[in-house]
Amino acid sequence: MSETVGQRYRRLLWAIDEELVACGRRPGDVTLVGVAKRQPIASIVAAIDAGLHDVGENYVQEAIRKFPALPPVRKHFIGHLQTNKAKAVTQAFDLVQSVDRPEAAHALDRAAQALGKRLPVLVQINVSPAERFGCSPAGAGALADDIRALPGLSFEGIMAIGPLTADQGEISRAFSLAAKTFDRVGGTTLSIGMSDDWREAVRAGSTMVRMGTALFGRRENP
Ligand SMILES: *Cc1c(COP(=O)(O)O)cnc(C)c1O
């Protein structure tokens, strides 16, 4: 019999704790975000029933369609943020991980203030050549300071997507750059690590991993 989503969730948490202990960190120090894009609602609900507290989505329309069917969870926007979607994103999500430029921050701030909300955000930095989005690690401090001055937003840390490669050295170098940027810029959350590179991310100091495939199985075609 194949593993259920609930069993996979528990096995992943256990594996993450094992990795944390192996590198001298405390078990439980990493938050697992289940990335729900193009996954069936039943799988997402099964993971939440097993204890998953955090769900990530890349697309606003998909989120708006799916979220009402879910039990209460913290909802993370992890996709590229278009400023004309700022209001919809602010309404549908509890946290935005992908702020990579001042225009996006200001659009979210206006939307959050209009809704009487203070929206936690992460600054997405670009640490891999193939990645299209994210601000430069060198520019992260200025963007974080910008965000800290906005009453509708709360700066919480750094997010990055690792390079699409099997080269562990390259992955580790990219994550170490993200970790150094996080140390310099501040915050409480370093969101690095996905299904294929979460071990390197945990070793580099990740406090939040985002996993789709490893938790829910392969995504449905768009
Ligand atoms: C799709 C996606 C993930 C999850 O990817 P998996 O490889 O399925 O774990 C994590 N973060 C972001 C930003 C994504 O777009």
Side-chain angles (χ1 to χ4, degrees):
M1 262 206 41
S2 68
E3 205 178 22
T4 66
V5 172
Q7 286 166 336
R8 231 180 278 154
Y9 171 72
R10 283 183 289 270
R11 182 173 52 77
L12 272 174
L13 281 190
W14 191 77
I16 293 168
D17 277 349
E18 237 190 4
E19 192 67 49
L20 279 166
V21 170
C23 62
R25 299 181 57 195
R26 280 204 319 244
D29 273 0
V30 164
T31 300
L32 172 58
V33 177
V35 175
K37 66 171 175 237
R38 306 204 316 268
Q39 299 286 357
I41 304 251
S43 301
I44 306 161
V45 171
I48 295 170
D49 286 344
L52 181 74
H53 301 291
D54 293 85
V55 169
E57 271 288 356
N58 297 60
Y59 308 107
V60 191
Q61 288 316 317
E62 191 177 338
I64 289 171
R65 191 163 46 76
K66 276 155 61 176
F67 283 166
L70 304 184
V73 278
R74 187 156 63 138
K75 302 174 184 83
H76 302 243
F77 184 73
I78 60 171
H80 178 60
L81 185 70
Q82 295 167 276
T83 50
N84 63 353
K85 299 272 169 63
K87 189 175 168 209
V89 166
T90 304
Q91 267 167 336
F93 290 86
D94 302 305
L95 188 148
V96 175
Q97 296 207 10
S98 46
V99 177
D100 63 355
R101 59 201 193 285
E103 300 74 48
H106 287 267
L108 286 176
D109 173 58
R110 280 191 298 275
Q113 287 198 61
L115 290 164
K117 225 173 151 170
R118 188 133 190 259
L119 185 69
V121 301
L122 305 181
V123 164
Q124 181 178 356
I125 60 168
N126 189 319
V127 293
S128 51
E131 184 51 36
R132 273 190 302 161
F133 303 115
C135 79
S136 71
L143 183 51
D145 287 345
D146 231 21
I147 292 168
R148 287 184 171 113
L150 299 173
L153 304 186
S154 156
F155 172 78
E156 307 274 321
I158 297 291
M159 184 272 247
I161 298 173
L164 259 180
T165 171
D167 182 338
Q168 286 189 358
E170 192 180 334
I171 294 169
S172 296
R173 278 190 296 280
F175 284 156
S176 135
L177 176 56
K180 277 198 193 99
T181 308
F182 174 60
D183 284 345
R184 183 166 49 78
V185 174
T188 54
T189 302
L190 174 60
S191 174
I192 51 173
M194 316 196 329
S195 293
D196 291 330
D197 57 16
W198 65 267
R199 286 181 188 277
E200 287 86 352
V202 167
R203 276 179 235 135
S206 173
T207 71
M208 184 175 277
V209 293
R210 312 174 307 268
M211 288 202 232
T213 320
L215 175 58
F216 300 117
R218 285 193 43 196
R219 282 185 273 281
E220 293 164 345
N221 289 323

